[in-house]
Structure formats: C-alpha cells, structure tokens
Amino acid sequence: QSVLTQPPSVSGAPGQRVTISCTGSSANIGAGYNVNWYQQLPGTAPKLLIYGNSNRPSGVPDRFSGSKSGTSASLAITGLQAEDEADYYCQSYDNRLSGSKVFGGGTRLTVL
Amino acid sequence: QVQLQESGPGLVKPSETLSLTCTVSGGSMRNFYWSWIRQPPGKGLEWIGYIYYTGSTNYNPSLRSRITISKDTSKNQFSLKMNSVTAADTAVYYCATGYDAFDIWGQGTMVTVSS
C-alpha cells in the first residue's frame, strides 16, 4: 500500500483532457512538501515530467500541467496524444518516515 | 548533461549480497542527492535511499537494516549494497539524481534473485 494514492488507471480519447490525482496526508503533501510527477513509457526508465508541484522541465510540452491543494496533487494532460500512453507516478516526502522520499502507486494512462 | 549508468550482476542467490554501481558521466558528484530506486516486475517504483554529496545518507525505513549506499567521488561512482536478499528483491534497479526531484535517471538494470 503506497503512502500516496493514485487511481490505477485512467483513459481518454485523442484530443481530450485527463487528470490523474495523487492523494496524501498531513504527513506528506499536506505538510507542504513538493510533489513531482514522472512519466514512464513502456520498457523505459521514468522521466521527470513536473517538479515543484507545477513546473515543467525544459522540453516537456505545455500540454502537461501540475497543481497541488491541501493534501492532494493533480496532473492534467490536455490534447491527449497516442504517445502519452504510459505509466505516471507522483512523488513527495513523508515526515513519518524520517523524511523518506515516497512514490504513488502509479497510474496507467490508456489513449483510446 | 549528466548521464548515469548502472552496472552489476544480473543474478544473485538468495541470502547473498546484491551489489550495484552507478557511474556518473558528464558532470561531477560535488552536489545533488544520489539515489537508488527499484521497480519489481509489473509493479510501481520504490525509493531505496540516497547519499548526499556531503556523504550523509538516508534510507527507506523498510530496507534500512539491509542496505548501504556509498560513493567514490574520485571515480564518479556511487554504490548500493543490499544483504540477505530474497526473491522479493527481484527488480529493475535505477540510479537517479537531483535535488528535490529525480531529474536524471539511469536506464536501469534488472536483478533477479534466484538459486
């Protein structure tokens, strides 16, 4: 059971908008720690998609956006494309675990 | 641009010690956190621990009793040792670096625990 909870799967048609939630608690996201998001394409290493809750690294399309409120965070993908089909993970810290870095369980995005 | 490459045995026997090395190229280890992360087949990501450039370490509490992360700055390498491995430690092991986020990842190396 992951400290951060994500839906196992989401789906959407090309061109649509989808969101992926990441729910934590007052010990992690709610404590003010940043949330980062990663995209893992099949058979490859994860890639940083969003850092510091809502910032995109250079090269990440602005179709991807992140937000945080209270004990939850969200990743939004607009103008869905077939190449977005991947697993997505949120990551933060947890102060109950000696400041350990923690991941969500991951969400599989299927482009219909 | 910093690049990371994991290396080590792909097969480890139960109860033995898993040893992996991550080689850093294109930059130095004089800043950032240097982490190990693993992913069992078909499952999600699990943070194992990190070593800071100062040498301080922080480990996942669930693995702390079995792991050691060290670094050799002169060789631009950092390493993971995990003892008393079982089949549950079978996974792809990634090294990664960054400050708050894991900005850069290695390609990963598959380690199977089996006799």
Side-chain angles (χ1 to χ4, degrees), chain B residues 45-113:
Chain B
L45 301 169
E46 180 182 33
W47 174 73
I48 297 171
Y50 67 65
I51 185 165
Y52 195 35
Y53 76 98
T54 58
S56 63
T57 55
N58 191 11
Y59 301 143
N60 186 321
S62 69
L63 300 170
R64 182 172 292 142
S65 64
R66 298 196 292 129
I67 62 174
T68 302
I69 298 176
S70 60
K71 67 181 178 72
D72 186 336
T73 306
S74 65
K75 292 183 179 179
N76 253 19
Q77 293 178 332
F78 63 107
S79 300
L80 168 69
K81 290 191 186 300
M82 179 183 294
N83 59 35
S84 305
V85 298
T86 70
D89 296 311
T90 293
V92 175
Y93 285 76
Y94 296 101
C95 56
T97 189
Y99 269 123
D100 180 49
F102 300 110
D103 298 76
I104 299 169
W105 295 65
Q107 64 183 30
T109 187
M110 180 69 201
V111 178
T112 301
V113 178

Side-chain angles (χ1 to χ4, degrees), chain A residues 12-93:
Chain A
Q16 285 189 333
R17 178 181 186 270
V18 297
T19 61
I20 298 172
S21 61
C22 176
T23 303
S25 70
S26 58
N28 39 69
I29 298 175
Y33 296 117
N34 282 335
V35 177
N36 308 304
W37 290 90
Y38 303 87
Q39 177 192 59
Q40 186 175 32
L41 297 170
T44 70
K47 165 193 163 186
L48 180 63
L49 199 63
I50 298 288
Y51 68 94
N53 306 316
S54 59
N55 302 292
R56 285 186 307 277
S58 173
V60 174
D62 59 7
R63 301 186 297 105
F64 296 90
S65 63
S67 63
K68 173 186 156 183
S69 177
T71 58
S72 294
S74 289
L75 172 70
I77 309 172
T78 59
L80 207 56
Q81 299 180 3
E83 67 206 50
D84 299 332
E85 189 159 287
D87 293 325
Y88 293 84
Y89 294 90
C90 61
Q91 175 258 313
S92 187
Y93 295 83

